[in-house]
Amino acid sequence: MNSQMLELESEDLEYAVDRQRMNTSSITGRFLDRSLSELELRRQTCWAPQDVFHRTFLDILGEARETYFGRKHGLAQVRTMADWKKATPIRCYPEYKPYIDKLVDGDTNVLTRSEPYALLRTSGSTGVPKLIPTTRHWRDAYRGRALYSQWGLYFEKLGRERALGASVLDLSWERASLSANLDSRHQYPISQRPAAVSSGDWLPPWYHESWFKGVETEDYRDSLYRKLRLLAGSDVAAIVALNPSKIIGLAELLAENAAELIEDIAQGTLRGRSLVAEPNPELAERLAAAAAGSAKGLKLVDFWPGLGLTVSWNSASAGLYRHWLEDVTPGIAKLPFSSTGTEGIITIPVDEHPSAGPLAVDMGLYEFVPVPESDDGSDVAPDAETLNFDELDVGATYNVVISQASGLYRYDLGDRYRVVDMVGKLPRLEFAERAGFGSSFTGEKLTESDIHEAVRRACGESFSARQLFTCVPVWGTPPGYTVVLEWTGEIGLSQQTMAEHIEDQLQKLNIEYAEKRRTHRLTALELLTVRPGTFAVLEEKRRLAGASASQLKHYWIQRNDDLLQRLQSAGMSSWVVS
């Protein structure tokens, strides 16, 4: 690990609760100016992207050319984007795993000239963790600029006068303890990063705050309570998260724990324990009056009267939260977070569009493959013809292939984006869906293979290849899933035990699902048992209604809850096994 990272990590993050401090950070003029400056540069890039695209291409080629990967693909002869496409086939993660394994084994100069200092852990679309390299060069030259420009938009929306000196509740990531995440190649989730790597990287004023630092062994809800307590009385102007469900969960926790929180504020404590804070009976009295005067209890806007903005993803399934988010933050402005993941950054918002942003053309090389009408969710072919960003049609949906300076080249991201309109000369893209996966309310990305394997393991030796079941997404606050299973005597378990076994196996198979369950963003899985032959009856009803028999297929995960509605409307209650 480099010395600058060690210096930034010199403060121990494993601190006792009684060392917690109230928030003292605020948005400074220097930080605000840098963010707004990067936003303006990004807006200029929207109108003149070609030079930026060319510089990015040369930089990524320079990172790859003399590496193990570069020599295997003859990148020394590459001069143009067309050469790049011919030399490097499109790949998914399994084809990159041998290169990642070499990095894990300690090999150098594998994918990038700049050596990875960490491998970021993600579940992947199948629930199997992937390891994505990240380099100092990527953080220095790319990622920091992206985040500063994104936050510049949020501060601009608040207004300079309002933003200057205000506080922010940043739930989009957490400064985690380095010791908890390291192995030989420094592996950790991107949402629990331990450090900034340089002055060019993203380093917000709240970086050193007690509320922002993760506490090992702390329950998720306890973490949210601690953040509320340590920010009590602060002038919080914005709440920023990836998933809107996190903001909704924060609001619900505030309402549920109002009495305890008010008592802590009055006594200067944190759940009855000592805290570096003065008692604040005036604030406690004001909050108690607000809670008593509202049928919905204490609200976020009561707790932070200056709250002027919430930020979260707001497209695809995340868009289902719009009504609930407005309910807990009524009248508060709402802007989208960037379309970003462990593998790379796709879009960064530059205006007040509620759910989409222009392509982040300075963050990597992006290629696009139209989604075919007869879509089966297949991976993009290695030799598929691709379009550049200036060849897309408004209204069309595309698979995205990315190349970024951290080491993934012509990588089939598995994400699909729809072109909403144009911002200058760049397409404005909105996330549409994951290719081939079944459902994702809060980023869990459940797949058919996840469900099939979870039920197979739960059934054990009694599992039959003819066992029919499916998983149904059920919207709610929070949402969750219901497995509809044809119940036979061979299973040998009670229905309650079977439901618990499926839940347990699903959490083991899909770490994102497990995280959303741990953080109460998804309810526990429910099991609806039906008599053998139920799915055949439903399929026949669809055929009689006009569906083509050749197009009828059993799905292990549903796109919506229509199946449950069909069961109800068709009078299928007699088929349910009680």
Short mmCIF file of all heavy atoms in Angstrom, two decimals, residues 314-353:
data_model
loop_
_atom_site.label_atom_id
_atom_site.label_comp_id
_atom_site.label_asym_id
_atom_site.label_seq_id
_atom_site.Cartn_x
_atom_site.Cartn_y
_atom_site.Cartn_z
N ASN A 314 -33.14 6.84 -9.75
CA ASN A 314 -34.57 7.09 -9.94
C ASN A 314 -35.06 6.55 -11.27
O ASN A 314 -36.00 7.08 -11.85
CB ASN A 314 -34.83 8.60 -9.87
CG ASN A 314 -36.29 8.92 -9.58
OD1 ASN A 314 -37.05 8.06 -9.13
ND2 ASN A 314 -36.70 10.14 -9.87
N SER A 315 -34.40 5.48 -11.76
CA SER A 315 -34.83 4.87 -13.01
C SER A 315 -35.09 3.39 -12.80
O SER A 315 -34.77 2.83 -11.75
CB SER A 315 -33.76 5.05 -14.10
OG SER A 315 -32.55 4.42 -13.71
N ALA A 316 -35.69 2.74 -13.81
CA ALA A 316 -36.02 1.32 -13.75
C ALA A 316 -36.79 1.03 -12.46
O ALA A 316 -37.68 1.78 -12.07
CB ALA A 316 -34.76 0.48 -13.90
N SER A 317 -36.42 -0.04 -11.74
CA SER A 317 -37.18 -0.42 -10.54
C SER A 317 -37.07 0.61 -9.43
O SER A 317 -37.96 0.74 -8.59
CB SER A 317 -36.71 -1.79 -10.03
OG SER A 317 -35.33 -1.78 -9.74
N ALA A 318 -35.95 1.38 -9.40
CA ALA A 318 -35.82 2.42 -8.37
C ALA A 318 -36.89 3.49 -8.53
O ALA A 318 -37.25 4.17 -7.57
CB ALA A 318 -34.43 3.05 -8.44
N GLY A 319 -37.40 3.65 -9.75
CA GLY A 319 -38.45 4.63 -9.99
C GLY A 319 -39.74 4.32 -9.25
O GLY A 319 -40.58 5.20 -9.04
N LEU A 320 -39.92 3.05 -8.83
CA LEU A 320 -41.11 2.68 -8.09
C LEU A 320 -41.18 3.35 -6.73
O LEU A 320 -42.24 3.40 -6.10
CB LEU A 320 -41.15 1.15 -7.90
CG LEU A 320 -41.29 0.32 -9.18
CD1 LEU A 320 -41.12 -1.16 -8.86
CD2 LEU A 320 -42.65 0.56 -9.83
N TYR A 321 -40.07 3.86 -6.27
CA TYR A 321 -40.01 4.49 -4.95
C TYR A 321 -40.39 5.97 -4.98
O TYR A 321 -40.40 6.61 -3.94
CB TYR A 321 -38.61 4.36 -4.37
CG TYR A 321 -38.26 2.97 -3.91
CD1 TYR A 321 -37.62 2.08 -4.75
CD2 TYR A 321 -38.58 2.54 -2.62
CE1 TYR A 321 -37.29 0.80 -4.33
CE2 TYR A 321 -38.26 1.26 -2.19
CZ TYR A 321 -37.61 0.40 -3.05
OH TYR A 321 -37.29 -0.86 -2.63
N ARG A 322 -40.64 6.52 -6.15
CA ARG A 322 -40.86 7.96 -6.23
C ARG A 322 -41.99 8.42 -5.32
O ARG A 322 -41.87 9.44 -4.62
CB ARG A 322 -41.17 8.35 -7.68
CG ARG A 322 -39.97 8.21 -8.62
CD ARG A 322 -40.36 8.54 -10.05
NE ARG A 322 -39.24 8.27 -10.96
CZ ARG A 322 -39.32 8.39 -12.28
NH1 ARG A 322 -40.46 8.78 -12.83
NH2 ARG A 322 -38.28 8.12 -13.04
N HIS A 323 -43.09 7.70 -5.33
CA HIS A 323 -44.24 8.09 -4.50
C HIS A 323 -43.87 8.05 -3.03
O HIS A 323 -44.18 8.98 -2.27
CB HIS A 323 -45.42 7.16 -4.78
CG HIS A 323 -46.56 7.31 -3.82
ND1 HIS A 323 -47.41 8.40 -3.86
CD2 HIS A 323 -46.96 6.55 -2.77
CE1 HIS A 323 -48.30 8.28 -2.89
NE2 HIS A 323 -48.05 7.17 -2.21
N TRP A 324 -43.20 6.98 -2.59
CA TRP A 324 -42.85 6.82 -1.18
C TRP A 324 -41.79 7.82 -0.75
O TRP A 324 -41.82 8.32 0.37
CB TRP A 324 -42.39 5.39 -0.93
CG TRP A 324 -43.39 4.38 -1.39
CD1 TRP A 324 -43.27 3.55 -2.46
CD2 TRP A 324 -44.68 4.12 -0.83
NE1 TRP A 324 -44.41 2.78 -2.60
CE2 TRP A 324 -45.28 3.12 -1.61
CE3 TRP A 324 -45.37 4.65 0.26
CZ2 TRP A 324 -46.55 2.62 -1.33
CZ3 TRP A 324 -46.64 4.15 0.54
CH2 TRP A 324 -47.21 3.15 -0.25
N LEU A 325 -40.86 8.12 -1.66
CA LEU A 325 -39.83 9.10 -1.35
C LEU A 325 -40.44 10.48 -1.17
O LEU A 325 -40.07 11.23 -0.26
CB LEU A 325 -38.76 9.12 -2.45
CG LEU A 325 -37.53 9.98 -2.20
CD1 LEU A 325 -36.79 9.53 -0.95
CD2 LEU A 325 -36.60 9.94 -3.40
N GLU A 326 -41.38 10.82 -2.00
CA GLU A 326 -42.07 12.10 -1.88
C GLU A 326 -42.87 12.15 -0.58
O GLU A 326 -42.97 13.21 0.06
CB GLU A 326 -42.99 12.32 -3.07
CG GLU A 326 -43.79 13.62 -3.04
CD GLU A 326 -42.90 14.87 -3.06
OE1 GLU A 326 -41.77 14.79 -3.59
OE2 GLU A 326 -43.34 15.91 -2.55
N ASP A 327 -43.40 11.01 -0.16
CA ASP A 327 -44.19 10.96 1.06
C ASP A 327 -43.35 11.29 2.29
O ASP A 327 -43.83 11.95 3.21
CB ASP A 327 -44.82 9.58 1.20
CG ASP A 327 -45.81 9.51 2.35
OD1 ASP A 327 -46.71 10.36 2.39
OD2 ASP A 327 -45.66 8.63 3.21
N VAL A 328 -42.09 10.84 2.31
CA VAL A 328 -41.24 11.08 3.50
C VAL A 328 -40.44 12.37 3.37
O VAL A 328 -39.90 12.87 4.36
CB VAL A 328 -40.29 9.89 3.76
CG1 VAL A 328 -41.09 8.63 4.04
CG2 VAL A 328 -39.31 9.68 2.64
N THR A 329 -40.35 12.92 2.16
CA THR A 329 -39.66 14.20 1.97
C THR A 329 -40.52 15.11 1.10
O THR A 329 -40.14 15.47 -0.01
CB THR A 329 -38.27 14.01 1.32
OG1 THR A 329 -38.43 13.28 0.08
CG2 THR A 329 -37.33 13.24 2.23
N PRO A 330 -41.70 15.47 1.57
CA PRO A 330 -42.64 16.23 0.74
C PRO A 330 -42.10 17.59 0.34
O PRO A 330 -41.57 18.34 1.17
CB PRO A 330 -43.87 16.36 1.65
CG PRO A 330 -43.33 16.23 3.04
CD PRO A 330 -42.20 15.26 2.94
N GLY A 331 -42.23 17.89 -0.96
CA GLY A 331 -41.82 19.19 -1.46
C GLY A 331 -40.33 19.40 -1.58
O GLY A 331 -39.89 20.48 -1.99
N ILE A 332 -39.52 18.39 -1.24
CA ILE A 332 -38.07 18.52 -1.31
C ILE A 332 -37.60 18.17 -2.72
O ILE A 332 -38.06 17.19 -3.32
CB ILE A 332 -37.38 17.58 -0.29
CG1 ILE A 332 -37.86 17.91 1.13
CG2 ILE A 332 -35.87 17.68 -0.38
CD1 ILE A 332 -37.56 19.31 1.57
N ALA A 333 -36.68 18.95 -3.27
CA ALA A 333 -36.14 18.68 -4.60
C ALA A 333 -35.45 17.33 -4.64
O ALA A 333 -34.86 16.89 -3.64
CB ALA A 333 -35.16 19.78 -5.00
N LYS A 334 -35.52 16.66 -5.80
CA LYS A 334 -34.95 15.33 -5.95
C LYS A 334 -34.16 15.26 -7.26
O LYS A 334 -34.67 15.61 -8.31
CB LYS A 334 -36.05 14.27 -5.92
CG LYS A 334 -36.75 14.22 -4.56
CD LYS A 334 -38.06 13.47 -4.60
CE LYS A 334 -38.70 13.47 -3.21
NZ LYS A 334 -39.10 14.82 -2.76
N LEU A 335 -32.92 14.81 -7.16
CA LEU A 335 -32.04 14.66 -8.31
C LEU A 335 -31.47 13.25 -8.36
O LEU A 335 -31.38 12.58 -7.32
CB LEU A 335 -30.90 15.69 -8.26
CG LEU A 335 -31.26 17.16 -8.49
CD1 LEU A 335 -30.04 18.04 -8.33
CD2 LEU A 335 -31.89 17.35 -9.87
N PRO A 336 -31.04 12.80 -9.54
CA PRO A 336 -30.52 11.43 -9.64
C PRO A 336 -29.04 11.33 -9.27
O PRO A 336 -28.27 12.28 -9.45
CB PRO A 336 -30.71 11.10 -11.12
CG PRO A 336 -30.57 12.43 -11.81
CD PRO A 336 -31.17 13.44 -10.86
N PHE A 337 -28.66 10.18 -8.74
CA PHE A 337 -27.25 9.85 -8.57
C PHE A 337 -26.72 9.39 -9.91
O PHE A 337 -27.48 9.04 -10.81
CB PHE A 337 -27.11 8.73 -7.53
CG PHE A 337 -25.73 8.63 -6.92
CD1 PHE A 337 -25.39 9.43 -5.84
CD2 PHE A 337 -24.78 7.76 -7.42
CE1 PHE A 337 -24.13 9.35 -5.26
CE2 PHE A 337 -23.52 7.67 -6.87
CZ PHE A 337 -23.19 8.47 -5.79
N SER A 338 -25.42 9.43 -10.07
CA SER A 338 -24.82 8.97 -11.33
C SER A 338 -25.08 7.49 -11.54
O SER A 338 -25.27 6.73 -10.58
CB SER A 338 -23.32 9.23 -11.33
OG SER A 338 -22.69 8.54 -10.26
N SER A 339 -25.09 7.06 -12.80
CA SER A 339 -25.19 5.63 -13.11
C SER A 339 -23.79 5.06 -12.99
O SER A 339 -22.96 5.17 -13.90
CB SER A 339 -25.73 5.42 -14.53
OG SER A 339 -27.03 5.94 -14.65
N THR A 340 -23.53 4.48 -11.85
CA THR A 340 -22.18 4.03 -11.56
C THR A 340 -22.22 2.72 -10.81
O THR A 340 -23.18 2.43 -10.10
CB THR A 340 -21.42 5.09 -10.74
OG1 THR A 340 -20.08 4.67 -10.51
CG2 THR A 340 -22.09 5.31 -9.38
N GLY A 341 -21.21 1.91 -11.00
CA GLY A 341 -21.10 0.65 -10.31
C GLY A 341 -19.65 0.31 -10.10
O GLY A 341 -18.75 1.09 -10.40
N THR A 342 -19.40 -0.88 -9.61
CA THR A 342 -18.04 -1.29 -9.34
C THR A 342 -17.21 -1.34 -10.62
O THR A 342 -16.03 -0.99 -10.63
CB THR A 342 -18.03 -2.68 -8.67
OG1 THR A 342 -18.91 -2.66 -7.54
CG2 THR A 342 -16.64 -3.05 -8.20
N GLU A 343 -17.83 -1.74 -11.72
CA GLU A 343 -17.10 -1.89 -12.97
C GLU A 343 -16.80 -0.57 -13.67
O GLU A 343 -15.91 -0.50 -14.50
CB GLU A 343 -17.87 -2.80 -13.93
CG GLU A 343 -18.00 -4.24 -13.45
CD GLU A 343 -19.31 -4.47 -12.71
OE1 GLU A 343 -19.86 -3.49 -12.17
OE2 GLU A 343 -19.78 -5.62 -12.68
N GLY A 344 -17.55 0.47 -13.36
CA GLY A 344 -17.29 1.73 -14.04
C GLY A 344 -18.43 2.72 -13.93
O GLY A 344 -19.47 2.44 -13.34
N ILE A 345 -18.20 3.89 -14.49
CA ILE A 345 -19.16 4.99 -14.47
C ILE A 345 -19.73 5.15 -15.88
O ILE A 345 -18.98 5.20 -16.86
CB ILE A 345 -18.48 6.30 -14.03
CG1 ILE A 345 -17.94 6.15 -12.60
CG2 ILE A 345 -19.43 7.48 -14.12
CD1 ILE A 345 -17.05 7.29 -12.17
N ILE A 346 -21.04 5.23 -15.99
CA ILE A 346 -21.69 5.34 -17.30
C ILE A 346 -22.21 6.75 -17.54
O ILE A 346 -21.93 7.37 -18.57
CB ILE A 346 -22.83 4.32 -17.44
CG1 ILE A 346 -22.34 2.91 -17.11
CG2 ILE A 346 -23.38 4.36 -18.87
CD1 ILE A 346 -21.21 2.42 -17.96
N THR A 347 -23.00 7.27 -16.63
CA THR A 347 -23.56 8.62 -16.81
C THR A 347 -23.33 9.45 -15.56
O THR A 347 -23.22 8.92 -14.45
CB THR A 347 -25.08 8.58 -17.09
OG1 THR A 347 -25.78 8.22 -15.90
CG2 THR A 347 -25.41 7.60 -18.20
N ILE A 348 -23.27 10.77 -15.75
CA ILE A 348 -23.16 11.71 -14.64
C ILE A 348 -24.14 12.85 -14.92
O ILE A 348 -24.08 13.48 -15.98
CB ILE A 348 -21.73 12.27 -14.51
CG1 ILE A 348 -20.74 11.12 -14.27
CG2 ILE A 348 -21.65 13.29 -13.38
CD1 ILE A 348 -19.30 11.55 -14.29
N PRO A 349 -25.07 13.13 -14.02
CA PRO A 349 -26.08 14.17 -14.27
C PRO A 349 -25.45 15.56 -14.33
O PRO A 349 -24.50 15.85 -13.61
CB PRO A 349 -27.03 14.04 -13.08
CG PRO A 349 -26.20 13.44 -11.99
CD PRO A 349 -25.24 12.52 -12.67
N VAL A 350 -26.00 16.41 -15.19
CA VAL A 350 -25.51 17.78 -15.30
C VAL A 350 -26.64 18.80 -15.21
O VAL A 350 -26.40 20.00 -15.27
CB VAL A 350 -24.75 18.00 -16.63
CG1 VAL A 350 -23.51 17.13 -16.71
CG2 VAL A 350 -25.67 17.76 -17.83
N ASP A 351 -27.88 18.31 -15.09
CA ASP A 351 -29.01 19.22 -15.00
C ASP A 351 -30.09 18.56 -14.14
O ASP A 351 -29.82 17.57 -13.46
CB ASP A 351 -29.53 19.61 -16.38
CG ASP A 351 -29.89 18.41 -17.25
OD1 ASP A 351 -30.23 17.34 -16.69
OD2 ASP A 351 -29.84 18.53 -18.49
N GLU A 352 -31.31 19.07 -14.21
CA GLU A 352 -32.36 18.61 -13.31
C GLU A 352 -33.22 17.50 -13.88
O GLU A 352 -34.33 17.23 -13.38
CB GLU A 352 -33.23 19.79 -12.87
CG GLU A 352 -32.46 20.81 -12.05
CD GLU A 352 -33.35 21.88 -11.44
OE1 GLU A 352 -34.54 21.59 -11.23
OE2 GLU A 352 -32.86 22.98 -11.17
N HIS A 353 -32.75 16.80 -14.91
CA HIS A 353 -33.50 15.65 -15.39
C HIS A 353 -33.63 14.66 -14.23
O HIS A 353 -32.65 14.36 -13.54
CB HIS A 353 -32.79 14.98 -16.56
CG HIS A 353 -33.65 13.97 -17.26
ND1 HIS A 353 -33.88 12.71 -16.74
CD2 HIS A 353 -34.34 14.03 -18.43
CE1 HIS A 353 -34.67 12.03 -17.55
NE2 HIS A 353 -34.96 12.81 -18.58
#
